[in-house]
Amino acid sequence: MCNRAERGDTQKVLNLFGAKKGARSNEGPLPIHPARPGTVIRLDNGERVLEQMTWGFPLTQKSKRTGKPLKPKPVNNARFDKLHTYFWKWAASKPEHRCLIPTARYCEACGESGCMTETWLSVKDQPIFAWAGLWANSDEWGSVFTGVMTDNAPELHHVHDRSPVIIDPADWDFWLTAPLEELYRFDRPYPADRLAVEHTTTPWFQRKAVAGPGQAHLL
């Protein structure tokens, strides 16, 4: 499942999607991570708007020890074959809760446990592509979104067995407006020969500098 990506440059996204800035359109960093800001394209009164939302639907669980609610976890990916289930269907079945996630590239962890590195994937002929998504308003984090996932092409199973649902430009409006039962044609691997794969030596897990009182330390 994808939990690291890079959004498209704001002005390029606005031009590409023929969108305007929505009410929630603050700039954020290009890298996006779960429970942090990202951007989506959605329809508002028939117009495409670009808005900033938090990546991941909040899932609140209770402590097995105390029974008290725990800090919500971001559910940042929705499996296509699970869109009919209770957790997702209420949003997936309503076109007004669908969105497109403008993405320059996304990342997967590759390698053996303990020494995984970043592998980045992008669409060769689309510097910014549309990743199918769902969005909602939440009590915990305000407006949130999740990316829909499907099976990966067999040639790319060494990277991951699943991948984002990539919607080509001719189908953008269809994703945003069609009934849920007509969307299942997108539940198929995206052609591997249309994707660029960049293996890197960058560790997947990196120590982060954390500011302390008058100093910084590493976790």
Side-chain angles (χ1 to χ4, degrees):
M1 292 298 186
C2 179
N3 62 9
R4 192 170 301 178
E6 185 176 296
R7 67 176 180 85
D9 171 81
T10 298
Q11 192 56 53
K12 291 179 180 179
V13 168
L14 292 172
N15 294 340
L16 178 64
F17 286 85
K20 65 179 183 180
K21 289 186 177 181
R24 301 175 292 265
S25 58
N26 294 330
E27 287 286 342
L30 288 179
I32 63 172
H33 303 272
R36 297 182 185 177
T39 54
V40 307
I41 295 286
R42 71 177 186 90
L43 289 181
D44 183 16
N45 293 321
E47 292 186 294
R48 294 177 187 171
V49 296
L50 176 69
E51 293 189 334
Q52 184 185 77
M53 300 183 183
T54 298
W55 188 10
F57 279 35
L59 175 63
T60 301
Q61 298 176 311
K62 292 184 178 180
S63 168
K64 293 181 179 179
R65 183 174 62 85
T66 66
K68 294 182 178 180
L70 299 171
K71 182 179 179 180
K73 292 184 177 181
V75 185
N76 52 291
N77 293 158
R79 286 178 48 150
F80 214 124
D81 58 353
K82 299 293 184 181
L83 293 187
H84 67 283
T85 63
Y86 174 79
F87 190 82
W88 297 118
K89 187 175 182 179
W90 69 270
S93 62
K94 299 175 182 178
E96 63 268 27
H97 280 286
R98 295 198 212 115
C99 62
L100 299 168
I101 307 165
T103 307
R105 57 181 187 159
Y106 66 96
C107 193
E108 298 287 4
C110 289
E112 297 181 4
S113 179
C115 55
M116 290 183 171
T117 56
E118 292 182 343
T119 292
W120 289 89
L121 298 97
S122 57
V123 180
K124 292 177 181 178
D125 61 351
Q126 298 180 49
I128 298 173
F129 64 89
W131 177 5
L134 308 174
W135 77 277
N137 290 312
S138 72
D139 293 333
E140 297 87 349
W141 299 330
S143 296
V144 296
F145 71 96
T146 192
V148 181
M149 305 291 286
T150 188
D151 292 334
N152 210 349
E155 303 95 315
L156 295 175
H157 275 203
H158 66 286
V159 175
H160 204 287
D161 62 352
R162 305 193 73 79
S163 73
V165 173
I166 297 172
I167 307 293
D168 287 328
D171 291 317
W172 289 349
D173 285 333
F174 193 83
W175 175 262
L176 294 172
T177 61
L180 175 60
E181 57 269 20
E182 295 183 19
L183 298 181
Y184 284 91
R185 63 186 177 91
F186 297 119
D187 187 15
R188 78 287 184 263
Y190 199 74
D193 61 1
R194 295 190 60 187
L195 296 173
V197 181
E198 179 188 0
H199 296 287
T200 77
T201 58
T202 304
W204 179 257
F205 295 106
Q206 301 179 46
R207 295 189 298 173
K208 299 179 180 178
V210 179
Q215 63 178 353
H217 60 280
L218 295 176
L219 289 180

